[in-house]
Amino acid sequence: MKRMIIVGAGAAGLMAALSACDRYNVTIIEKNEKAGKKIYITGKGRCNLMNDCDIDTFLKNVVHNSKFMYSSINAFSPQDTYEYFSSLGLPMKTERGNRVFPVSDRASDVTKALTDELKRKNVKILYNTTVRKIVTDKCSVSPDEDRMIDIIVRGVETDKGFFPGDVVVVATGGLSYPTTGSTGDGLRFAEESGLKITETFPALCPLNIKEEDCKKMMGLSLKNVKVRFSVKQDGKNKRKLIYEDFGEMLFTHFGVSGPCILSASNYISDYLDKDIKLFIDLKPALSNEELEQRIKKDFDGFRLREYQNSLGQLLPRLMIPVIIERSGISPSKKTADISEKEIRRLAELLKNFELNVIGLRSYNEAIVTRGGVSVKEIDPKTMESKKVKGLRFAGEVLDVDALTGGFNLQIAWSTGHAAGL
């Protein structure tokens, strides 16, 4: 049997090994002390291992380079993933948004199901072993000629010596959560092998906000709000919408986080050199006119109260001082004395609470990496490099990323499966 070396025992690497072990003599090399270190922290330790959706829905949730995923997702779809984990004896449950979790709510059970199957198939995992470089060689037409026709992989050099391989699969992850071992090794291996790397950014991460208002509301979670991100168009006063969503968000000491914000980060990384604004609609179920009537009704019920004591039914406690300050209405003003114009201004503020985005948080807080090995360099059916025969890439190291909900792990399962075959 041919020999396959897999660098990285994460989601993509483990799946690559399982799809390869009937055809190859497989060895996984992992620099950590255990497999699936990043799997352990996904889904807040519960592991949202996939999304039980159809292929079209999956592709719509891939933000960058969805077309590249077409072959591998058709070969190993979300339904195939579900059936595969079921065959490994992992009980699963489906929650809101078709998110699939292990019934136990323990991410470790996902890793255990995979590693138990690898043990059953006698696949070796070498832990605490660091790959230093991918070893390649030049091939020529014949021993008598110098003309190069190909570069071929020969194996890997590690801190414990050389390991020969007819195929090497790089599944080292990207740059997110570096404490799990994703420190960019795979990107370096690709670059040293002559492959192009697209610019990387933290993705599915919180955002830094200019205003101190976020710090004043730190810990406040908002549900059922609408968020819109826009940038100023060059040479124009108009703004261009770059992302909008509906759901939950959170204020922090540095800015904003939560599901809506994490998803937005994948899109706004294209505009970091521009004036990015976030507008929050705190009352999306009401039109401006309906909200004005709601405010009037509240104020009519509190006619003898001061403005600062009249917003408790409309807003969460931590937000009230911020809204009062932004509204420009005196906190001590009696609600009976607040004008129609002031009510209109307050309604507009609640429908368009404005914040200025000044950047992404670091890779330490990013769920995935945007960017990586250029998909133009990779065969989408086999995950093999078009420049180096036998060198394949799978998972987060590739320039493919998706929204939250199990889609990024599906990318790992599907590309890992293709690389192993």
Side-chain angles (χ1 to χ4, degrees):
M1 295 175 80
K2 287 187 175 183
R3 293 165 298 189
M4 176 182 284
I5 303 294
I6 297 174
V7 187
L14 295 174
M15 183 57 76
L18 287 165
S19 66
C21 59
D22 292 336
R23 301 171 184 80
Y24 291 89
N25 184 334
V26 178
T27 300
I28 305 175
I29 299 178
E30 170 57 54
K31 69 179 181 181
N32 289 316
E33 73 286 356
K34 63 182 179 181
K37 207 163 182 181
K38 192 170 180 184
I39 293 175
Y40 283 97
I41 63 171
T42 59
K44 298 179 180 177
R46 298 172 61 217
C47 188
N48 176 195
L49 74 155
M50 59 167 290
N51 192 286
D52 191 13
C53 63
D54 58 32
I55 288 173
D56 285 344
T57 301
F58 166 80
L59 292 171
K60 286 175 184 174
N61 280 274
V62 177
V63 179
H64 297 103
N65 297 314
S66 60
K67 289 181 180 178
F68 174 79
M69 288 299 302
Y70 188 82
S71 293
S72 61
I73 196 65
N74 274 281
F76 198 71
S77 68
Q79 286 66 43
D80 295 325
T81 304
Y82 195 95
E83 289 171 12
Y84 185 76
F85 278 99
S86 294
S87 74
L88 298 183
L90 179 71
M92 291 171 286
K93 60 183 177 181
T94 303
E95 297 186 0
R96 180 176 55 85
N98 293 323
R99 291 166 163 85
V100 177
F101 295 85
V103 168
S104 65
D105 283 332
R106 291 195 303 263
S108 56
D109 287 354
V110 177
T111 304
K112 187 175 186 301
L114 296 168
T115 52
D116 282 354
E117 182 70 1
L118 288 171
K119 284 178 188 174
R120 194 179 72 79
K121 296 196 171 185
N122 298 313
V123 174
K124 291 185 295 183
I125 305 180
L126 301 179
Y127 295 109
N128 300 304
T129 304
T130 301
V131 173
R132 289 175 174 161
K133 66 177 292 187
I134 307 296
V135 179
T136 58
D137 197 5
K138 295 179 181 178
C139 296
S140 57
V141 174
S142 72
D144 302 322
E145 294 186 52
D146 292 329
R147 183 165 64 89
M148 188 186 77
I149 60 163
D150 214 344
I151 300 174
I152 191 167
V153 78
R154 292 300 188 193
V156 298
E157 190 67 51
T158 77
D159 58 351
K160 295 179 181 176
F162 174 72
F163 289 83
D166 303 287
V167 174
V168 172
V169 178
V170 176
T172 53
L175 293 162
S176 61
Y177 291 129
T179 53
T180 64
S182 298
T183 53
D185 295 343
L187 303 178
R188 176 171 59 82
F189 298 150
E191 204 162 28
E192 290 172 349
S193 302
L195 279 73
K196 181 184 175 184
I197 307 298
T198 58
E199 188 176 2
T200 57
F201 300 93
L204 296 182
C205 66
L207 303 176
N208 289 318
I209 297 294
K210 181 180 179 180
E211 288 82 2
E212 288 291 312
D213 288 343
C214 294
K215 194 171 186 178
K216 295 174 186 174
M217 298 184 287
M218 180 173 63
L220 173 61
S221 178
L222 299 178
K223 294 183 178 180
N224 302 318
V225 294
K226 184 178 181 180
V227 297
R228 292 179 290 115
F229 291 83
S230 68
V231 292
K232 188 176 179 181
Q233 292 181 295
D234 293 336
K236 298 179 182 178
N237 291 322
K238 292 183 178 180
R239 300 191 66 83
K240 173 186 173 185
L241 180 69
I242 54 176
Y243 183 75
E244 64 180 346
D245 201 357
F246 177 87
E248 300 178 24
M249 62 168 290
L250 171 73
F251 291 106
T252 70
H253 66 285
F254 54 78
V256 288
S257 187
C260 283
I261 304 303
L262 299 184
S263 294
S265 68
N266 286 38
Y267 292 88
I268 69 171
S269 52
D270 285 322
Y271 303 93
L272 294 176
D273 60 338
K274 296 187 182 297
D275 166 36
I276 306 172
K277 289 187 183 294
L278 161 61
F279 296 93
I280 306 167
D281 185 346
L282 299 164
K283 302 293 177 183
L286 302 176
S287 67
N288 283 54
E289 293 76 17
E290 289 169 335
L291 182 54
E292 287 175 30
Q293 292 304 314
R294 160 73 194 276
I295 294 169
K296 285 179 186 176
K297 184 179 178 183
D298 283 1
F299 285 179
D300 285 344
F302 304 130
R303 294 187 65 79
L304 300 179
R305 284 193 194 178
E306 294 180 341
Y307 172 50
Q308 61 189 347
N309 299 320
S310 304
L311 297 172
Q313 293 182 5
L314 192 65
L315 296 166
R317 178 180 56 82
L318 284 174
M319 190 169 239
I320 291 173
V322 174
I323 294 296
I324 288 173
E325 185 178 352
R326 287 197 176 204
S327 71
I329 303 170
S330 171
S332 58
K333 192 170 188 177
K334 292 288 192 291
T335 55
D337 298 328
I338 295 176
S339 68
E340 294 265 346
K341 185 178 179 181
E342 287 173 322
I343 289 175
R344 196 175 305 116
R345 190 166 71 233
L346 176 58
E348 177 64 23
L349 172 61
L350 299 183
K351 294 292 287 182
N352 291 282
F353 187 85
E354 181 181 326
L355 295 167
N356 288 281
V357 180
I358 55 174
L360 305 169
R361 295 296 284 175
S362 73
Y363 288 109
N364 292 325
E365 299 174 59
I367 295 174
V368 295
T369 305
R370 179 196 163 178
V373 178
S374 172
V375 296
K376 294 178 181 177
E377 311 262 328
I378 304 297
D379 184 327
K381 292 182 180 178
T382 63
M383 300 299 140
E384 186 160 283
S385 162
K386 294 176 182 178
K387 293 180 177 177
V388 183
K389 189 175 181 182
L391 180 59
R392 304 177 192 171
F393 294 84
E396 195 182 336
V397 72
L398 293 164
D399 181 15
V400 186
D401 60 88
L403 301 179
T404 57
F407 303 106
N408 285 287
L409 267 176
Q410 184 64 57
I411 290 171
W413 307 134
S414 296
T415 58
H417 180 265
L421 293 180

